[in-house]
Amino acid sequence: MRAAAIFGPGASTKDLKPFQKNSEADWLVDPPANSNQADAILIFGGDGTVHRHLPQLVKLQLPVLIVPCGSGNDFANALNLRSSRVSQAAWRKFCSAAGNVRTIDLGVITPLTPEGPGAADPPEPHYFCCVGGVGLDAEIARRANLLPRWLRARGGYALSLLPALWRFEPVAMSISLPSVENPDVLVARNTKSTIVTAFANASSYGGGMKIAPLAQLDDGLLDVCIIDHMNKLKLFCLFPTVYFGRHLSIPQVEYFQTERLKLETDEPQDVYADGEYVCRTPIEVRIARAALQVIVP
């Protein structure tokens, strides 16, 4: 067995030692350059660390084990890897050829306008594992990322809600969805004044907020949650219900599933996914079927 270890912020080889114990694996402490250098990859970190390595992980097509030790571990939780000990047990099972590997989908965000120095080149698609969004949740993620790491891990998303909400104004957004008659054609819906537009591959983000409680990692669909304009007091009261996935019955909340969508705004807006900045609108979002192999309990 050959295994590669990737460490996110705050993680180190100390976290790797329990996995090396009673293991005959040869270890590479770096992302492998190609699939011939490893049989599996262990990522010690949270959603942001996973997000940053997704392009390479998709290319390598090696089984990946997440060891949750980041400020946000929603992806690990979606895989029922809720602690390092659970990940250790999953690793021992994998090493014994138990076949505990699951193939899952990933979300893909593609900017529709070129950005950066290579603006003449086609925009690069961005993979995400959990949830992407535009609107208030993107502003909350931006503010949370400015907090010290230890504070982000202790409710940073919730702490960033009030200051973000105080300054945030609704955004006019237009979403286009596949036509019923011709799925290859995207048909625009009415532009709405929107607080949050979230598109999800997994059920939660922000440290356990179940924005898309019906989402599954391998159903080939994006779960889309849209929160329309409402007064700020009502919106503030709504957010605790999101932690339990009980917001879907609120009239200003729209929830549906789709294979892909296009999202446009009057003015370019930041797009965040897995708690990380991705690009600015307009964007197209789709599902990449069976894009990643993950080691599970």
Side-chain angles (χ1 to χ4, degrees):
M1 175 73 68
R2 298 161 305 162
I6 296 173
F7 300 103
S12 69
T13 52
K14 176 184 66 177
D15 301 295
L16 177 60
K17 288 181 180 178
F19 295 84
Q20 294 175 314
K21 187 177 180 181
N22 301 323
S23 170
E24 297 180 359
D26 294 325
W27 292 90
L28 170 68
V29 183
D30 263 322
N34 57 64
S35 57
N36 295 323
Q37 293 185 345
D39 300 302
I41 299 173
L42 283 71
I43 296 185
F44 295 80
D47 298 334
T49 301
V50 176
H51 178 89
R52 288 188 286 274
H53 289 280
L54 283 177
Q56 182 67 1
L57 297 178
V58 171
K59 289 179 182 177
L60 292 170
Q61 285 296 298
L62 295 172
V64 178
L65 175 65
I66 309 301
V67 184
C69 50
S71 58
N73 300 299
D74 290 285
F75 185 52
N77 289 338
L79 297 171
N80 294 316
L81 297 166
R82 301 186 180 277
S83 69
S84 177
R85 286 188 177 183
V86 176
S87 295
Q88 290 168 36
W91 177 244
R92 289 193 296 270
K93 190 175 180 180
F94 176 78
C95 291
S96 66
N100 52 321
V101 176
R102 178 183 175 190
T103 302
I104 64 166
D105 306 330
L106 293 174
V108 184
I109 300 168
T110 304
L112 296 180
T113 53
E115 291 188 339
D121 300 327
E124 282 289 324
H126 303 269
Y127 290 98
F128 65 95
C129 53
C130 287
V131 183
V134 178
L136 178 60
D137 53 347
E139 175 61 16
I140 294 171
R142 184 189 70 80
R143 289 176 176 270
N145 287 346
L146 298 176
L147 297 173
R149 185 178 176 277
W150 66 269
L151 189 55
R152 290 203 311 272
R154 292 164 175 79
Y157 195 92
L159 290 171
S160 302
L161 169 60
L162 196 57
L165 179 60
W166 182 256
R167 298 181 62 89
F168 184 79
E169 294 298 330
V171 177
M173 296 188 194
S174 173
I175 291 181
S176 300
L177 300 175
S179 165
V180 176
E181 294 79 14
N182 185 355
D184 293 332
V185 176
L186 294 176
V187 178
R189 307 184 334 157
N190 292 335
T191 300
K192 288 186 176 182
S193 184
T194 304
I195 301 288
V196 169
T197 299
F199 31 89
N201 183 49
S203 61
S204 67
Y205 66 172
M209 295 186 71
K210 294 182 179 178
I211 188 70
L214 306 181
Q216 299 181 41
L217 290 168
D218 55 3
D219 63 354
L221 295 169
L222 292 165
D223 283 50
V224 182
C225 182
I226 300 173
I227 302 177
D228 293 340
H229 179 44
M230 65 180 74
N231 71 64
K232 292 186 177 181
L233 177 58
K234 186 172 183 178
L235 182 61
F236 181 76
C237 295
L238 175 142
F239 264 84
T241 70
V242 179
Y243 277 98
F244 305 99
R246 296 175 183 166
H247 56 295
L248 302 190
S249 61
I250 296 170
Q252 290 88 352
V253 175
E254 181 182 4
Y255 191 96
F256 59 89
Q257 295 177 316
T258 183
E259 291 184 355
R260 65 188 182 112
L261 62 86
K262 182 168 70 173
L263 192 152
E264 300 169 285
T265 55
D266 288 349
E267 297 291 334
Q269 300 291 322
D270 290 346
V271 180
Y272 274 71
D274 303 329
E276 302 291 310
Y277 173 80
V278 173
C279 61
R280 308 199 84 193
T281 57
I283 56 172
E284 185 168 322
V285 190
R286 63 177 176 85
I287 279 288
R289 295 295 307 266
L292 187 68
Q293 295 182 69
V294 286
I295 299 170
V296 294

